[in-house]
């Protein structure tokens, strides 16, 4: 196919093709691209004609890409990244008049403890934008960035796609949350003896806190695992349970309630909260504006009320 023949190719079809390869589900693609499912189904039919291949085949209740589809994706995705970057860099960004849609991945602690003031600032500067938040953590972040489902994410991060960039926002010091009325801070013995609640996205009942306890020959007793931080306020109030959480989550949780936050009675190695983004958006004016606001509002030190 020469350049003149490219006029016959609908770029929208290629965007739908990429989404289909990652989602493998017509309904989810329709939701992601704000389309009707019949329109996605029709687009898949046109893509099959274009590439002369079934592209997606039924496999039980799901769908799987053909070998030819995966080969096309491998060739097509870098080209689409280049096109997207070139178009983005060609336009100026004016927050006050923008109607852009920003897709951000946030870990639960970042969404609960740091996102509200960021959103307030974004809405003040750019009242016409739409912000879509996807739940992300170090396990989900690479796939979300690679597929283009988010342009930027904030979480503790490990492995990232080859073209991703990363910036440290802050360390993640921990605080111990408690809802009892006993005076004085917890001793190490009391900390280990108390029942613990733990926020665990995956359902695991151990984490870095347990590794730090093991270094000093101690352990804790986790009796409750919950998937998000917002529930801790009601669950800990008036009980003997305690929870060890990032300082910014603690700051949001103690506000306006009987919970209190204190320093842990043993050293905890602070993890890092990072911002990661796809390299294709590195010079996009709108994305640069968004990342600057994330850096500003998710890096600031906190003043946590003392008991």
């Amino acid at each position: 196919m020469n350049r003149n023949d490219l006029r016959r190719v609908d770029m929208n079809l290629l965007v739908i093709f990429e989404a289909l390869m990652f989602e493998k589900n017509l309904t989810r693609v329709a939701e992601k691209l704000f389309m009707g499912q019949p329109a996605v189904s029709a687009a898949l039919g046109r893509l099959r004609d274009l590439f002369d291949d079934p592209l997606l085949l039924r496999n039980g209740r799901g769908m799987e890409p053909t070998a030819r589809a995966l080969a096309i994706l491998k060739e097509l995705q870098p080209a689409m990244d280049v096109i997207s970057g070139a178009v983005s860099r060609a336009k100026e960004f004016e927050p006050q008049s923008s109607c852009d849609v920003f897709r951000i991945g946030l870990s639960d602690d970042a969404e609960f403890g740091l996102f509200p003031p960021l959103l307030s600032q974004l809405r003040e500067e750019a009242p016409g934008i739409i912000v879509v938040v996807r739940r992300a953590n170090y396990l989900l972040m690479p796939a979300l960035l690679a597929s283009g489902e988010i342009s930027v994410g904030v979480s503790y991060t490990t492995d990232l796609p080859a073209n991703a960039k990363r910036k440290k926002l802050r360390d993640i010091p921990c605080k111990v949350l408690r809802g009892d009325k006993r005076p004085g801070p917890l001793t190490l013995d009391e900390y280990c003896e108390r029942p613990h609640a733990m926020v665990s996205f995956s359902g695991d009942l151990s984490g870095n806190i347990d590794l730090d306890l093991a270094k000093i020959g101690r352990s804790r007793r986790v009796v409750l695992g919950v998937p998000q931080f917002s529930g801790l306020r009601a669950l800990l109030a008036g009980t003997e349970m305690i929870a060890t959480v990032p300082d910014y989550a603690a700051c949001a949780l103690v506000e306006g309630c009987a919970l209190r936050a204190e320093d842990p009675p043993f050293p905890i190695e602070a993890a890092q909260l990072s911002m990661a983004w796809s390299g294709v958006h590195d010079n996009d004016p709108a994305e640069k504006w968004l990342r600057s606001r994330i850096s500003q509002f998710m890096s600031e030190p906190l003043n946590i009320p003392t008991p």
Side-chain angles (χ1 to χ4, degrees):
M1 177 180 288
N2 60 39
R3 296 295 176 89
N4 196 43
D5 291 331
L6 282 174
R7 292 183 303 167
R8 298 188 289 105
V9 179
D10 183 349
M11 188 68 184
N12 291 320
L13 282 180
L14 303 184
V15 174
I16 296 169
F17 169 77
E18 183 182 44
L20 284 167
M21 292 302 101
F22 284 105
E23 297 294 342
K24 305 170 191 176
N25 182 285
L26 271 63
T27 301
R28 288 200 297 269
V29 169
E31 293 172 351
K32 177 181 177 180
L33 300 181
F34 302 100
M35 299 172 63
Q37 185 171 330
V40 175
S41 182
L44 176 57
R46 292 173 62 193
L47 284 163
R48 284 168 168 164
D49 290 339
L50 177 64
F51 292 118
D52 192 23
D53 188 84
L55 301 180
L56 285 171
L57 296 174
R58 286 285 174 191
N59 182 11
R61 293 186 177 181
M63 302 182 79
E64 292 296 330
T66 65
R68 169 78 173 135
L70 293 175
I72 293 169
L73 178 65
K74 187 176 181 180
E75 292 186 7
L76 191 61
Q77 200 170 17
M80 293 182 67
D81 285 345
V82 170
I83 294 170
S84 177
V87 172
S88 296
R89 288 188 291 272
K91 63 180 182 181
E92 295 293 330
F93 179 69
E94 298 178 355
Q96 280 292 329
S97 60
S98 173
C99 295
D100 285 10
V101 178
F102 293 98
R103 300 183 181 276
I104 308 173
L106 295 176
S107 57
D108 183 64
D109 55 316
E111 180 184 351
F112 181 75
L114 297 174
F115 182 58
L118 168 65
L119 179 63
S120 178
Q121 182 65 25
L122 296 180
R123 296 288 303 151
E124 179 178 337
E125 290 188 40
I129 66 171
I130 298 171
V131 179
V132 179
V133 175
R134 295 289 302 272
R135 180 60 48 82
N137 59 18
Y138 74 98
L139 295 172
L140 299 176
M141 186 80 75
L144 289 170
L145 286 170
S147 67
E149 293 177 73
I150 62 172
S151 62
V152 61
V154 175
S155 176
Y156 164 76
T157 58
T158 52
D159 297 328
L160 291 171
N163 72 335
K165 297 180 179 290
R166 172 168 32 199
K167 175 184 178 181
K168 175 186 172 182
L169 294 176
R170 57 184 294 147
D171 289 322
I172 310 178
C174 287
K175 294 287 184 178
V176 179
L177 282 178
R178 54 191 292 196
D180 63 275
K181 296 183 179 180
R182 296 185 193 181
L186 292 170
T187 66
L188 178 58
D189 286 339
E190 289 171 331
Y191 179 91
C192 294
E193 291 166 2
R194 287 281 194 98
H196 286 251
M198 178 177 172
V199 178
S200 173
F201 181 82
S202 63
D204 292 336
L205 294 179
S206 64
N208 290 337
I209 301 298
D210 301 280
L211 297 177
D212 289 320
L213 279 171
K215 291 176 183 176
I216 57 173
R218 305 300 293 265
S219 62
R220 62 176 176 168
R221 182 166 58 96
V222 177
V223 301
L224 175 67
V226 293
Q228 53 194 29
F229 285 86
S230 57
L232 289 177
R233 182 180 284 129
L235 294 169
L236 297 183
T239 76
E240 292 291 294
M241 275 195 302
I242 58 177
T244 308
V245 303
D247 63 343
Y248 45 85
C251 185
L253 283 161
V254 300
E255 186 176 355
C257 75
L259 294 186
R260 50 185 165 142
E262 60 187 49
D263 292 330
F266 65 100
I268 295 177
E269 185 176 347
Q272 292 184 358
L273 188 74
S274 296
M275 174 173 63
W277 64 96
S278 171
V280 71
H281 297 296
D282 198 34
N283 292 314
D284 183 320
E287 293 289 337
K288 289 174 72 172
W289 170 80
L290 174 63
R291 293 196 302 270
S292 72
R293 297 305 178 267
I294 290 174
S295 293
Q296 178 183 354
F297 283 86
M298 291 192 168
S299 302
E300 292 182 344
L302 299 171
N303 292 316
I304 302 178
T306 55

